[in-house]
Amino acid sequence: MGRNSKAVKAKISSVKSTKKITRSMQMISAAKMQKTVSQSSASRSYTDDADQLLKDLARSKPSRPHALMKNRKVKNELMIILSSNRGLCGSFNANVLNVAESEVEKSLAADVNVNIIAVGKNSAKFAAKRGLNLVSIYEKLNENPEFAVAKSITDEVMADFKSEKYDKVTLVYTKYITSLRQEVEAVQLLPVNIDDYATDTESDVENTEVFRPEFVLEPNAASLLSYVLPKITEAKFFQAVLDSAASEHSSRMIAMKNATDAATDMIDSLT
């Protein structure tokens, strides 16, 4: 009985130590999440306004397509996958990579060569496991989202698309909605399909009282597109980076809270 009691006490001490670690990680993730969510909310205002500007330009029906709008037969696709570097964040990585797997399967079935830019180590592992060409890996961007780094990635991607190195660019990331709800999305970053913007959204149709003026554009829509399209593409990618980081911190906070609660229950049981 004495030996059993000693073993139980040792187990309680071990679980208490684990609980301290998970509790600390929960608090750190909560602080990081609040900071990133604040950045994401501020950035989304700019992104929404940029989308509205593109809608206004789309209604003017520019005479010639911009280089970032050109559709061509897809032979080479670039897929940018945003994951985490570390684990202990629940199903965050699994959800992202499941969607990425589905997108890769569809592209390979269409005889498309898939290339990967990995934001986070788990994306790189996914590319290696699937035998896909890993163009580059960015390990620090999701830990510390910086617009300058995101812009450099987007500039390189846009240059490769214009040179026809890639015919399509797909972005797979986790969209942050609330701390309890995030959704993985696979969106076409390039080519920009301006027809999608020319069509009224459901909210536009429902809100019939919204006044949408017709703009007189100077010098012309094509010139304005050549200026704003790269900036809108940069904004969309950086918004995805911020959303992904906020989702990761939220998932880790919840996972560590669950672990802390489980440790508390185990301590009570052992006691």
Side-chain angles (χ1 to χ4, degrees):
M1 183 65 186
R3 275 184 293 180
N4 288 338
S5 176
K6 187 176 181 179
V8 171
K9 287 180 180 179
K11 183 69 173 177
I12 291 173
S13 178
S14 174
V15 175
K16 282 183 177 179
S17 297
T18 301
K19 180 181 175 180
K20 287 180 181 179
I21 295 172
T22 56
R23 177 63 178 166
S24 297
M25 292 180 68
Q26 176 188 341
M27 295 174 67
I28 292 170
S29 295
K32 287 182 176 179
M33 184 193 72
Q34 290 176 353
K35 179 182 176 181
T36 315
V37 167
S38 178
Q39 289 177 305
S40 177
S41 298
S43 175
R44 185 169 284 109
S45 298
Y46 175 87
T47 307
D48 290 344
D49 286 343
D51 275 346
Q52 185 58 53
L53 174 59
L54 199 52
K55 286 180 182 179
D56 295 333
L57 290 173
R59 292 191 190 100
S60 68
K61 295 180 175 59
S63 56
R64 67 178 188 272
H66 186 269
L68 297 178
M69 296 162 50
K70 290 183 177 178
N71 286 290
R72 48 185 180 260
K73 181 176 174 58
V74 180
K75 297 179 181 177
N76 293 290
E77 178 181 3
L78 176 65
M79 194 173 293
I80 308 174
I81 306 175
L82 278 62
S83 67
S84 72
N85 288 322
R86 299 175 290 123
L88 300 177
C89 49
S91 60
F92 173 78
N93 287 305
N95 293 337
V96 172
L97 298 180
N98 282 341
V99 173
E101 176 72 26
S102 177
E103 292 297 313
V104 168
E105 287 296 331
K106 286 191 291 186
S107 296
L108 294 178
D111 199 25
V112 174
N113 181 37
V114 180
N115 306 273
I116 303 292
I117 286 183
V119 179
K121 292 180 180 178
N122 283 283
S123 300
K125 292 177 182 177
F126 168 79
K129 182 179 179 181
R130 294 291 277 102
L132 303 172
N133 178 38
L134 181 61
V135 177
S136 53
I137 175 174
Y138 296 88
E139 298 180 7
K140 297 181 180 179
L141 183 58
N142 49 2
E143 297 284 348
N144 184 27
E146 293 184 1
F147 179 74
V149 179
K151 183 180 184 303
S152 67
I153 297 172
T154 317
D155 288 346
E156 183 180 348
V157 169
M158 288 189 292
D160 288 340
F161 180 80
K162 289 178 182 178
S163 67
E164 300 188 10
K165 182 177 180 180
Y166 306 117
D167 306 302
K168 179 182 178 182
V169 180
T170 303
L171 180 61
V172 182
Y173 75 104
T174 307
K175 182 178 181 180
Y176 179 87
I177 300 172
T178 67
S179 59
L180 297 176
R181 184 184 170 202
Q182 301 92 38
E183 294 179 356
V184 180
E185 292 189 347
V187 297
Q188 180 176 302
L189 191 64
L190 295 173
V192 177
N193 188 356
I194 201 165
D195 291 337
D196 292 342
Y197 292 89
T199 304
D200 289 336
T201 61
E202 290 182 6
S203 59
D204 292 333
V205 174
E206 291 172 2
N207 193 0
T208 55
E209 296 180 1
V210 173
F211 175 68
R212 297 194 298 271
E214 292 293 328
F215 291 95
V216 176
L217 304 174
E218 292 185 0
N220 53 58
S223 298
L224 287 173
L225 276 174
S226 67
Y227 178 78
V228 302
L229 267 185
K231 295 187 178 300
I232 290 175
T233 304
E234 292 167 1
K236 282 184 173 295
F237 177 65
F238 188 55
Q239 183 66 54
V241 170
L242 291 173
D243 273 10
S244 179
S247 298
E248 177 190 344
H249 295 317
S250 176
S251 296
R252 183 170 287 110
M253 178 190 71
I254 292 171
M256 292 302 99
K257 181 183 184 304
N258 291 338
T260 301
D261 292 344
T264 300
D265 292 341
M266 185 177 291
I267 290 169
D268 291 343
S269 176
L270 289 169
T271 300

